[in-house]
Structures are given as structure tokens and as C-alpha cells.
């Protein structure tokens, strides 16, 4: 007999992700405003890797290129990002953080750290390592 969806590990994984995303979005909206969780994730990757292309960003945040294009356009409109013409390839743009974004980064980082601490409260490093091992096996199994 087939197990009910709610009786599978996949249901638990999905529920955990959705609950975390809800918590994180609420805290970002309350303190930063006008920024989605996915946009915050995009900013975090750009801070560490300023030369990322839109395709690279899409792969890192699990979105398609069209979604990332829309996100970036909205973030430019809301003055979180700037697009500048790439001097080496006029068909490409460089995506840069604005002064507004640089000003909110310390607060955004604090929010992200608080979200993670709350979500991981009471979970040991051994437990986290086990979950990560299991998830990596699931990823490998689904990628072949």
C-alpha cells in the first residue's frame, strides 16, 4: 500500500522548508521591507561573488533565467541593484549592489543569522551532519 504523502520524508522536508521560508520572509519584511527572501538570497550570493552572471545566479537560487531577470528588474526598480553595461561584452550587464543595499546588508545579515539560529535551536551538530548526509544522498539519487 502506498504511504500517504504526509507519511513520507519528502513531506517533512517540504514542510520544514516552507515553515523556514515563512519565518524568514516575515522577519525580512518587518525589518527591511520591500525585499523577498529570494531577493535576499540573491544579494547574499552577489556580495560574496560580485561578478556572477544571471545564469549563475539562477542556478544558485534554484530559479529559471526568466524568474531571475524579473527579480533583478524589480530590484533595480526598488534601488537594491544597478545594471551597468559590460565593457567587454555589450550584450551583457554587470549587476552591482547599490549604496542602499550596502547600508542594509548588516541588518539583513543579522536577520539571516537570527532566522538560522531560531530554526536550528536545540539541534546538535551531529544531528545536522546526519541530516546533511541524508539530504546529499537524496540529491545524488535524484540527479542520476
Amino acid at each position: 500500500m502506498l504511504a500517504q504523502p504526509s507519511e513520507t520524508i519528502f513531506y517533512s522536508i517540504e514542510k520544514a522548508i516552507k515553515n523556514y521560508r515563512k519565518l524568514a520572509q516575515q522577519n525580512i519584511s518587518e525589518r527591511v521591507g520591500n525585499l523577498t527572501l529570494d531577493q535576499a538570497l540573491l544579494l547574499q550570493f552577489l556580495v560574496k561573488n560580485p561578478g556572477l552572471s544571471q545564469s549563475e545566479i539562477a542556478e544558485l537560487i534554484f530559479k529559471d533565467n526568466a524568474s531571475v531577470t524579473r527579480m533583478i528588474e524589480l530590484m533595480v526598480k526598488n534601488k537594491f541593484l544597478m545594471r551597468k553595461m559590460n565593457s567587454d561584452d555589450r550584450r551583457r550587464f554587470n549587476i552591482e549592489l547599490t549604496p542602499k543595499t550596502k547600508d542594509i546588508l548588516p541588518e539583513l545579515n543579522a536577520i539571516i543569522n537570527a532566522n538560522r539560529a531560531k530554526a536550528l535551536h536545540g539541534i546538535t551538530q551531529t544531528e545536522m551532519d546526519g541530516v546533511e548526509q541524508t539530504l546529499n544522498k537524496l540529491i545524488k539519487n535524484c540527479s542520476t
Side-chain angles (χ1 to χ4, degrees), residues 119-130:
L120 296 172
H121 178 76
I123 300 172
T124 67
Q125 186 62 49
T126 302
E127 290 171 321
M128 285 191 289
D129 292 344

Side-chain angles (χ1 to χ4, degrees), residues 84-132:
K84 292 189 176 178
M85 187 67 68
N86 184 313
S87 58
D88 296 330
D89 184 350
R90 297 181 66 82
R91 297 169 294 175
R92 294 186 61 190
F93 290 95
N94 294 329
I95 304 162
E96 298 179 10
L97 305 178
T98 63
K100 172 184 176 178
T101 298
K102 291 176 184 174
D103 287 345
I104 66 160
L105 278 176
E107 173 127 22
L108 186 58
N109 290 338
I111 295 165
I112 291 167
N113 285 333
N115 291 341
R116 290 175 181 170
K118 181 171 182 159
L120 296 172
H121 178 76
I123 300 172
T124 67
Q125 186 62 49
T126 302
E127 290 171 321
M128 285 191 289
D129 292 344
V131 169
E132 187 169 10

Side-chain angles (χ1 to χ4, degrees), residues 2-120:
L2 184 65
Q4 289 293 308
S6 60
E7 296 170 345
T8 68
I9 190 172
F10 302 106
Y11 184 85
S12 297
I13 292 168
E14 186 73 21
K15 187 173 182 180
I17 291 168
K18 288 185 179 195
N19 284 355
Y20 178 78
R21 289 181 63 82
K22 182 178 177 183
L23 166 79
Q25 184 60 63
Q26 181 179 351
N27 290 333
I28 290 170
S29 294
E30 284 175 3
R31 293 175 51 196
V32 175
N34 211 19
L35 189 69
T36 68
L37 178 59
D38 289 333
Q39 290 170 343
L41 185 60
L42 185 152
L43 291 177
Q44 293 299 305
F45 279 115
L46 279 178
V47 166
K48 299 279 187 201
N49 307 287
L52 288 175
S53 69
Q54 284 188 216
S55 299
E56 291 167 327
I57 292 168
E59 189 173 318
L60 287 168
I61 65 172
F62 312 114
K63 300 285 182 193
D64 60 56
N65 285 336
S67 295
V68 171
T69 298
R70 286 189 300 274
M71 282 176 61
I72 290 171
E73 287 173 1
L74 186 59
M75 293 175 78
V76 168
K77 179 181 172 190
N78 290 329
K79 303 201 181 336
F80 288 110
L81 295 175
M82 297 180 279
R83 271 190 174 149
K84 292 189 176 178
M85 187 67 68
N86 184 313
S87 58
D88 296 330
D89 184 350
R90 297 181 66 82
R91 297 169 294 175
R92 294 186 61 190
F93 290 95
N94 294 329
I95 304 162
E96 298 179 10
L97 305 178
T98 63
K100 172 184 176 178
T101 298
K102 291 176 184 174
D103 287 345
I104 66 160
L105 278 176
E107 173 127 22
L108 186 58
N109 290 338
I111 295 165
I112 291 167
N113 285 333
N115 291 341
R116 290 175 181 170
K118 181 171 182 159
L120 296 172

